[in-house]
Amino acid sequence: MENIKAYVQEHKDRFINELIELLKIPSVSADTAYSHDVFETADAVKASLEKAGCDFVEICDTPGYPIVYGEKIIDPSLPTVLVYGHYDVQPPDPLELWTSPPFEPVIKKTDIHPEGAIFARGACDDKGQMYMHVKALEYMVQSNTLPCNVKFMIEGEEEIGSKSLSWFVERNQEKLKNDVILISDTGMISNQQPSITTGLRGLSYVEVEVTGPNRDLHSGLYGGAVANPINVLAKMIASLHDENNHITIPGFYDNVEELSLEERAEMAKAPFNLENYKKAIDLNDVYGESGYVTNERNSIRPTLDVNGIWGGYTGEGAKTVIASKAFAKISMRLVPNQDWEHITELFTKHFTSIAPAGVTVLVKPHHGGQGYVTPIDSIGYKAANMAYTETFGVPAIPVRSGGSIPIVALFEKELKSKTILMGFGLDSDAIHSPNEHFGIFNYLKGIETIPLFYKYFVELSK
Ligand code: BES
Ligand code: MN
Ligand code: MN
């Protein structure tokens, strides 16, 4: 495998340029205005898998956006790695905060990425990280070092809840049969300290609508005499946390697993600097649930956050009005054992019950998914750790992430296999934010590390 370093050095400009071409297609799954581009991106992914050396690649139509499936089966008696990734991206707004247009990728240097980083929507989440696997396959095929079978399943709806993928997985258990699932759609601690994600949070996402009068009213004529839906919504939302920032929905914490002091002490060993954390996002202090530190609040504890809130007049100047309706989008991040559908029910029941007379409340569930935790004594985890240790010179640290990839729990249920989350992004890469980027170092290091995972996974499987 010494040759992988040389291969990456020799081909790195092409690797970067190919990724840049993929990033130019605005595959925003949330907005139907981009629908044509999402389909085009699936075609581009298919072509890249064919070029990299898959024997069979197909576009699988679904009720939504297609899934790109590819495989190279060298010997059915050898293990099979299933690579999952997503080619859809988040909407790029607010556009005015980008320093260069989101779908015109450019390489810029940053403090954290002195070798440069590719700036574009999807650079890290997840086109860049997904494409590392395509290039790793190219290397293994070219150098005749692919030690096992490989299947690729790249979807186009991850950012909107993976509905079609669930549909697809349920119908294709035999085709997707594997010994381990490998995903690069998470992060690591830093470019000096790799980590392997051992947990993901679940998610319940809902939209709420509060309706007062049947039309917008003059706020002088009616103000004080009728319920103002925006005032009421703000009050209802505020009541969802108590003074310790615990969530007040009855039953919400029932299935939350409390970690032992030993486990929490183990977590606290991961390098973390609170001052740098605050500085990176310009905060004078952190905020959260009493009794837990930052690294616990955003990984092993469930949360409730308003993602958007609107209603009434928000245009220029002032308009004196009591709006007929107010709205909010609310997400709850869940921990393993909390069932997202049950939590959605608890939320709905509670939120409806706290509505005062004078308004009506509607809760619309959006999507959700279960959380995930994975043990660190599996062959897959060990193989990933050996791979990182070899390319970074230090072992990886297990870390539970606050983000969600709901499909991972479904993979375990439907395909009965464990997922290894080998992420190469950094928290500072601004995924879902303006100026998303992915370090060139990270991209190339990923391409270098992935073939080692295959090598060690096959060795340990013997
Ligand atoms: N890749 C992210 C999830 C992620 C990022 C996990 C970093 C851990 C570390 C994924 O694309 C994502 O954004 N997931 C959504 C959930 C989905 C159902 C919309 C999320 O976490 O908000
Ligand atoms: Mn992602
Ligand atoms: Mn994402």
Side-chain angles (χ1 to χ4, degrees), residues 149-166:
N149 307 307
V150 56
K151 297 175 176 175
F152 278 79
M153 175 170 64
I154 314 296
E155 70 151 320
E157 293 180 16
E158 196 277 342
E159 299 293 6
I160 52 170
S162 301
K163 266 214 178 76
S164 298
L165 187 69
S166 313

Side-chain angles (χ1 to χ4, degrees), residues 21-200:
E21 287 309 307
L22 195 63
L23 291 168
K24 284 182 185 169
I25 322 174
S27 49
V28 179
S29 50
D31 185 344
T32 51
Y34 294 96
S35 156
H36 176 82
D37 302 287
V38 183
F39 282 100
E40 194 185 319
T41 308
D43 291 335
V45 171
K46 173 173 184 267
S48 75
L49 283 171
E50 283 164 344
K51 247 181 72 193
C54 279
D55 294 332
F56 171 72
V57 189
E58 63 178 336
I59 297 266
C60 304
D61 290 321
T62 72
Y65 288 125
I67 286 151
V68 186
Y69 175 82
E71 63 180 32
K72 187 165 180 71
I73 308 294
I74 58 170
D75 177 352
S77 68
L78 287 170
T80 300
V81 175
L82 173 67
V83 176
Y84 161 83
H86 61 96
Y87 63 82
D88 64 321
V89 302
Q90 282 279 320
D93 59 276
L95 280 177
E96 66 279 11
L97 294 182
W98 284 76
T99 54
S100 55
F103 299 108
E104 294 171 29
V106 286
I107 297 175
K108 287 183 267 194
K109 291 187 163 65
T110 72
D111 290 349
I112 289 174
H113 296 293
E115 309 83 354
I118 306 176
F119 280 71
R121 172 58 84 228
C124 176
D125 184 13
D126 179 44
K127 283 176 176 165
Q129 295 215 69
M130 175 272 288
Y131 206 67
M132 298 181 312
H133 289 267
V134 180
K135 293 298 98 178
L137 174 69
E138 175 192 307
Y139 165 73
M140 291 185 285
V141 171
Q142 290 300 320
S143 60
N144 237 321
T145 55
L146 180 67
C148 61
N149 307 307
V150 56
K151 297 175 176 175
F152 278 79
M153 175 170 64
I154 314 296
E155 70 151 320
E157 293 180 16
E158 196 277 342
E159 299 293 6
I160 52 170
S162 301
K163 266 214 178 76
S164 298
L165 187 69
S166 313
W167 178 92
F168 182 76
V169 170
E170 280 159 23
R171 281 163 183 75
N172 289 282
Q173 267 135 330
E174 196 47 43
K175 180 192 189 102
L176 300 172
K177 228 171 147 238
N178 66 79
D179 296 281
V180 69
I181 297 171
L182 185 59
I183 304 182
S184 295
D185 193 22
T186 51
M188 56 178 189
I189 292 174
S190 74
N191 283 357
Q192 291 72 44
Q193 180 56 68
S195 52
I196 299 171
T197 301
T198 53
L200 293 163

